């Protein structure tokens, strides 16, 4: 396959050098103003402001105008992989994120523990965001009853909170199957449905449909599930698919690429593009900032491209909690000086998608982008959705960010004479 | 071949008319601020300011974000030819620029006279930017000894300063051969290497490798070469290739297209897209403004699309001389009224790439663009990198400029009914 933009250009022009790029992803950072302020603009961020004044700013579209990206496509774009070409299922990303080594014939799906009402309609797609501990109990109960469906080996794995991963192992399993998650409350669970006429896809759909029924049956017999508030009485599956083969970012860009992220999903997408995940203490839950910082301090100079993930900005956007989202930005501002002590030559700060508080969900809104290096045209402004509008970077796309970072790091040769 | 954007649209919609477009290219004009000023913003430019106030401004990316264009790709973009599709070697451009009429089987390469140290590593890729006069002396000496290599006719031609052109004429010569120029000092010359398994490419590579050795041998016996400071003791070849067939800009846009440029390279790329070069007195070296102006006065009304090239803005960027770059802008400002006396209906002023003084090389930074016609939305600003940010033209691509100019000239029909 001919590599899509920008990978072909990067492969052709990249020069190995010891300059270092830091990419900070504030998950779901983009928002829309309420009373003139977004969670980002409302935050008190002296460190970010100082960096921003010396940086070029812009508004960046993740996939295409109006298209709301999932976290997988959002990150693939940031890493230079066109998500319209590299269409990776969420299940695969989640599986990789919990260190499941997916084989070529295997199928992964991302599962949500969910709450259904008496009419069988989805009442809570996340069953009240149950704890990881309860998730583990429920998975243990399900595994005791379910290990095989229609001749296919079924594995169930806790991811975190309400999230789990399904892995199917067997002959003749296709990956083109639609979500059973209807994506909204008040609707019925969708039947697992093959998205092609392929028999292998029908087989996978049939297994996953039966698995969904079995899970609901088993959960109805598990006291901690029945008695939870809200009750955990079913599952929703999405992002069903097989693992694609992606070129490695380090080979394309002639550098070592590392990823510091606490949540499995983000470690998964990093590994998918061939990044290393340096050692990090993943005990506990949530942001785990001290662990990420410790890993950063120990390893920031081991990589010429280092991705650093901040999760909770997205979570509070999904919860519709503007004040908490602002607090997360301020918490990030507090650790920014420590990140800059690693002396990166280029810093990019942006998000993988917007998660506006009024929407309580991912959105299509372009992301504020900050690009700092010794060679940028400084805009002298703040890193907010409003100030990024009309910045030196103009309107750009997430796929443009890796080439820009590479250029600013002196890692790209001239195109043509 | 289906024509790439924007040529297919232009071909479909262009209307012949007598309105005239003037495209001024200030070579390498884009820069980054030092203490808040760029060479362009620091310049005292009353005439440019007056035009700019009535113009639409924007920042334009030449090839793609982060990609540093050579002059060839930079100009092809300006002329509407996607440089990712029309990937023309520098050798071909240089050959055309000195009026070599390349045949279909011939191969051209761009040569640099260079200085190697005692370990055989490149010490100066331009041999101290030798004069054109010395270049001519050296070419004469080389031609006396070298006219044929491995059965292939070899021609050597002075281009200017340290630059020369190699033309190979013979049967079965391929054009897919890599540069021998390593692109940086401190490295050894690269061996000429075929970039495909084709025997024709291997044949060309073998001839050029032997030619490189012969040139070094001959130069070691030439007193003016040996005694130059630094010594001229070798050559570097790049942009090796055959002439591609490009559609003619005049046919696509239904107009007569002319080019006024003093340097061979820019005349070459103009001819490659089918522009005429009206008579011009090319005696002497450097900017040759009087000669260009005389040609402009005599011929500006002969063309509906006229390209006017200003070179030295780039040269002083490459020399890292901010004050001199500013002076070149002011020199251009002084002749702008004479250009406007030609009464063009549309004026576009921009560059083919940025050449920031702090970088002393071409760069990826978007170019300031000024578009004037009676139909633009005037931004009321100055033509600087900072004021062009957020102008009415927004973020655009060089490939967008020809359609915009054509539209403003009333030369494009409506798309669809």
């Amino acid at each position: 396959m001919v590599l899509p933009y920008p990978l072909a250009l990067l492969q052709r022009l990249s020069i190995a050098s010891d300059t270092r790029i830091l990419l900070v992803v504030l998950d779901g950072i983009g928002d829309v103003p309420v009373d003139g302020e977004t969670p980002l603009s409302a935050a008190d961020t002296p460190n970010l402001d100082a960096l921003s004044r010396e940086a070029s700013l812009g508004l960046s579209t993740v996939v295409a105008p109006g298209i709301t990206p999932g976290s997988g496509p959002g990150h693939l774009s940031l890493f230079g992989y066109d998500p319209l070409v590299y269409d990776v299922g969420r299940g695969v990303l989640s599986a990789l994120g919990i260190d499941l080594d997916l084989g070529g014939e295997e199928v992964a799906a991302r599962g949500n523990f969910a709450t259904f009402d008496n009419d069988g309609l989805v009442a809570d797609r996340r069953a009240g965001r149950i704890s990881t501990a309860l998730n583990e109990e429920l998975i243990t109960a399900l595994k005791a009853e379910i290990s095989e469906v229609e001749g296919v080996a079924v594995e169930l794995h806790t991811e975190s909170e309400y999230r789990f991963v399904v892995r199917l192992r067997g002959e003749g399993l296709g990956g083109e199957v639609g979500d059973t998650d209807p994506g909204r409350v008040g609707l019925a669970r969708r039947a697992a449905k093959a998205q092609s006429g392929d028999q292998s896809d029908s087989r996978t759909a049939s297994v996953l449909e039966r698995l969904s029924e079995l899970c609901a049956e088993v959960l109805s017999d598990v006291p901690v599930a029945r008695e939870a508030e809200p009750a955990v009485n079913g599952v929703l599956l999405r992002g069903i698919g097989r693992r694609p083969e992606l070129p490695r970012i380090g080979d394309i860009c002639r550098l070592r690429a590392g990823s510091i992220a606490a949540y499995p999903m983000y470690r998964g997408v990093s590994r998918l593009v061939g990044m290393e995940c340096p050692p990090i203490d993943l005990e506990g839950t949530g942001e785990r900032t001290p662990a990420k910082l410790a890993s950063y301090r120990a390893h920031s100079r081991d990589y010429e491209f280092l991705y650093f993930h901040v999760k909770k900005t997205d979570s509070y956007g999904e919860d519709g909690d503007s004040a908490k989202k602002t607090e997360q930005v301020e918490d990030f501002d507090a650790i920014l000086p420590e990140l800059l002590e690693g002396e990166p030559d280029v810093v990019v700060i942006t998000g993988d998608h917007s998660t506006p508080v009024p929407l309580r969900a991912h959105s299509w809104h372009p992301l504020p982008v900050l690009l700092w290096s010794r060679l940028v045209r400084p805009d002298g402004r703040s890193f907010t959705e409003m100030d990024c509008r009309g910045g030196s970077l103009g309107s750009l796309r997430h796929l443009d960010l890796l080439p820009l970072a590479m250029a600013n790091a002196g890692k790209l040769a001239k195109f043509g004479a």
Side-chain angles (χ1 to χ4, degrees), chain A:
Chain A
M1 184 174 105
V2 177
L3 290 172
Y5 173 82
L7 298 181
L9 276 170
L10 291 171
Q11 186 175 55
R12 171 171 166 177
L13 301 175
S14 290
I15 302 165
S17 78
D18 57 7
T19 54
R20 285 179 290 109
I21 298 166
L22 171 64
L23 168 66
V24 176
V25 176
L26 303 174
D27 207 300
I29 187 64
D31 217 298
V32 297
V34 174
D35 297 331
E37 296 276 10
T38 66
L40 177 58
S41 72
D44 181 24
T45 53
N47 300 309
L48 201 46
D49 292 352
L51 186 68
S52 178
R53 275 192 295 274
E54 301 299 318
S56 280
L57 305 178
L59 282 178
S60 182
T61 294
V62 181
V63 177
I67 304 304
T68 295
S71 301
H75 275 81
L76 287 172
S77 300
L78 282 169
F79 298 157
Y81 295 74
D82 188 337
L84 296 174
V85 176
Y86 300 105
D87 198 353
V88 183
R90 175 84 176 224
V92 169
L93 294 171
S94 291
L96 292 170
I98 55 171
D99 290 320
L100 289 184
D101 189 20
L102 278 188
E105 285 253 308
E106 298 172 7
V107 171
R110 160 65 190 280
N112 273 21
F113 284 110
T115 303
F116 292 80
D117 65 18
N118 292 333
D119 300 325
L121 305 181
V122 176
D124 187 332
R125 293 175 51 243
R126 300 180 185 88
R129 290 186 182 270
I130 61 168
S131 69
T132 303
L134 177 53
N135 180 318
E136 283 166 352
E137 251 186 282
L138 299 176
I139 288 291
T140 302
L142 291 171
K143 283 165 80 168
E145 301 294 328
I146 308 167
S147 62
E148 178 265 314
V149 173
E150 298 178 0
V152 169
V154 173
E155 281 179 19
L156 301 169
H157 299 268
T158 293
E159 188 180 347
S160 63
E161 300 175 354
Y162 56 89
R163 309 173 188 95
F164 65 92
V165 176
V166 179
R167 170 157 66 167
L168 306 183
R169 323 182 87 160
E171 299 276 301
L173 292 172
E176 303 289 312
V177 175
D179 295 354
T180 73
D181 183 351
R184 268 194 297 167
V185 299
L187 299 177
R189 176 175 73 74
R190 292 190 189 148
K193 205 171 148 189
Q195 292 181 312
S196 80
D198 245 49
Q199 214 182 329
S200 63
D201 292 333
S202 303
R203 179 160 159 77
T204 300
S206 170
V207 169
L208 291 176
E209 182 57 24
R210 182 71 193 122
L211 174 65
S212 301
E213 294 163 4
L214 285 172
C215 286
E217 285 169 28
V218 173
L219 288 170
S220 71
D221 282 336
V222 176
V224 286
R226 233 174 27 223
E227 292 153 18
E229 186 51 54
V232 185
N233 55 11
V235 301
L236 297 171
L237 303 178
R238 52 190 179 123
I240 297 155
R242 302 206 297 198
R243 176 189 176 138
E245 282 307 318
L246 268 59
R248 299 171 67 85
I249 189 172
D251 295 343
I252 297 277
C253 296
R254 292 180 207 184
L255 44 71
R256 289 165 299 174
S259 163
I260 296 182
Y263 281 73
M265 160 70 190
Y266 308 95
R267 301 168 67 78
V269 68
S270 303
R271 288 214 186 86
L272 192 65
V273 300
M275 289 185 191
E276 284 177 27
C277 295
I280 179 170
D281 176 7
L282 288 176
E283 274 299 295
T285 58
E287 201 57 69
R288 282 161 285 182
T289 301
K292 287 191 293 182
L293 273 183
S295 182
Y296 179 82
R297 273 191 298 267
H299 299 287
S300 70
R301 287 166 201 272
D302 297 347
Y303 302 98
E304 290 84 32
F305 180 92
L306 189 55
Y307 152 64
F308 188 96
H309 183 249
V310 174
K311 172 66 187 167
K312 286 291 175 185
T313 35
D314 173 56
S315 311
Y316 290 115
E318 296 219 332
D319 291 349
D321 191 332
S322 183
K324 284 273 178 124
K325 192 172 175 182
T326 293
E327 239 176 59
Q328 298 307 311
V329 175
E330 292 175 347
D331 286 354
F332 167 69
D333 188 70
I335 68 163
L336 179 57
E338 286 196 67
L339 296 180
L340 298 181
E341 273 169 26
E343 298 185 325
D345 299 280
V346 177
V347 179
V348 178
I349 303 179
T350 186
D352 53 341
H353 54 77
S354 290
T355 307
V357 164
L359 195 62
R360 294 172 176 249
H362 290 203
S363 82
W364 59 90
H365 297 85
L367 270 296
V369 172
L370 177 161
L371 171 68
W372 176 88
S373 82
R374 281 160 197 87
L375 281 169
V376 296
R377 295 178 177 147
D379 286 327
R381 303 186 191 181
S382 300
F383 178 63
T384 67
E385 291 86 346
M386 290 71 92
D387 272 15
C388 284
R389 173 184 65 197
S392 288
L393 299 177
S395 309
L396 68 170
R397 299 208 293 157
H398 264 30
L399 285 180
D400 302 325
L401 293 175
L402 182 59
L404 276 172
M406 291 284 288
N408 275 275
K411 290 184 188 297
L412 289 184
K414 189 157 65 176
F415 176 81

